[in-house]
Amino acid sequence: MKSAIRLLAGICLTVACAGLAAAGELIELATRPGVTQAVYFDSTSPHPSWVLILFPGGDGRLALAQSGPRRANGNFVIKTARYWIDAGQATAMFDAPSDHAATGMGDPFRLSRNAVQDIAAAVAAARQRYPGAKVALLSTSRGTITVGNVLKRDPALADAYILTSPVTQAHRTQLGLSGMSWPGNKARVLVVANEQDGCFVSPFGAAKTMAAANGFDFIAASSSAATGDQCGPKSPHGYLGIENPVLDAIGKWLMPAS
């Protein structure tokens, strides 16, 4: 089993908690017949070592515009995008594709081949835009279903996979990652979970078990601050108050000191 890292509660220190200042570029990719995929690229470096493609939770709709996301600005991976940009990396926010722009993405689509096709187009655009950079798929909550599906169907597509607060439990018709496993996994994968996560579809113990069973690296966070829904960003599920320490730990895993 790969290594596990424990992260204790900390204090939100810098820009990760200050909101997102938009200065990037929105592009529309033709992915499937009659379907386009919006991706918002941003970086202050012409030669980042990593491009982090960001997959939010909920229904996945960001309503991207030239000014940035118009929805889900409080989502963990969206509001902390500036952290990676300030570290010299590039980010790419991934919106719901045009055929799901009105309704958002449910689990049947997130687990489909079509979803992988859309993401493959975004990865190709990232590699063309930043030659030599590696690509990581960074997801949270229901976004982990999309990334887990890519990891299952095309594990060589990205250089690293990061699943924070993974949705491991089925609920009604939404299966999450409950029926999925990755035997013989050879990709580089990190799972991050909060010991105090109160969201019923993403319990800490199940995330830890999933990581151990599939040979994924694992980071345990611990915090209790909450001002909203237990499955929302203003809770341990969204690492409220410890955003920067969590990102620091992910960064050390992604870019270990040589």
Side-chain angles (χ1 to χ4, degrees):
M1 184 180 72
K2 296 181 181 177
S3 62
I5 306 169
R6 180 174 177 78
L7 173 69
L8 297 177
I11 301 172
C12 180
L13 297 174
T14 59
V15 294
C17 301
L20 181 69
E25 180 183 359
L26 174 65
I27 65 170
E28 297 276 352
L29 303 169
T31 58
R32 295 173 277 123
V35 176
T36 58
Q37 174 64 58
V39 183
Y40 189 86
F41 284 99
D42 200 355
S43 181
T44 57
S45 171
H47 303 292
S49 56
W50 284 91
V51 182
L52 294 100
I53 302 182
L54 309 178
F55 298 84
D59 62 18
R61 290 184 295 168
L62 294 174
L64 288 172
Q66 292 296 340
S67 59
R70 291 175 292 180
R71 298 182 79 253
N73 283 284
N75 180 267
F76 172 60
V77 298
I78 300 304
K79 74 177 181 180
T80 60
R82 194 78 223 169
Y83 175 97
W84 303 109
I85 296 166
D86 287 349
Q89 309 308 327
T91 60
M93 296 183 188
F94 189 91
D95 207 345
S98 61
D99 57 344
H100 287 78
T103 60
M105 296 180 285
D107 290 11
F109 176 75
R110 288 186 181 277
L111 294 168
S112 71
R113 291 187 182 277
N114 282 346
V116 177
Q117 190 170 334
D118 295 342
I119 295 164
V123 171
R127 294 195 189 282
Q128 182 177 23
R129 191 180 186 93
Y130 301 106
K134 295 181 179 180
V135 174
L137 306 188
L138 171 55
S139 59
T140 197
S141 194
R142 304 209 78 84
T144 64
I145 303 167
T146 299
V147 171
N149 180 45
V150 176
L151 183 60
K152 182 75 172 181
R153 294 181 183 272
D154 191 2
L157 182 63
D159 300 290
Y161 296 82
I162 304 165
L163 295 85
T164 71
S165 303
V167 174
T168 55
Q169 308 300 297
H171 179 61
R172 297 175 181 168
T173 60
Q174 303 296 305
L175 297 178
L177 297 172
S178 62
M180 194 173 289
S181 62
W182 301 264
N185 168 69
K186 290 182 170 50
R188 191 174 177 212
V189 186
L190 174 66
V191 175
V192 182
N194 195 318
E195 291 177 330
Q196 308 305 319
D197 192 337
C199 184
F200 64 102
V201 293
S202 59
F204 174 83
K208 186 175 182 180
T209 297
M210 181 184 77
N214 293 283
F216 301 157
D217 290 330
F218 184 74
I219 291 176
S222 184
S223 65
S224 58
T227 62
D229 179 7
Q230 285 297 313
C231 293
K234 295 182 179 181
S235 70
H237 182 74
Y239 308 98
L240 181 65
I242 59 167
E243 290 94 336
N244 275 65
V246 170
L247 295 170
D248 288 345
I250 292 173
K252 288 178 182 178
W253 176 85
L254 191 64
M255 299 165 274
S258 57

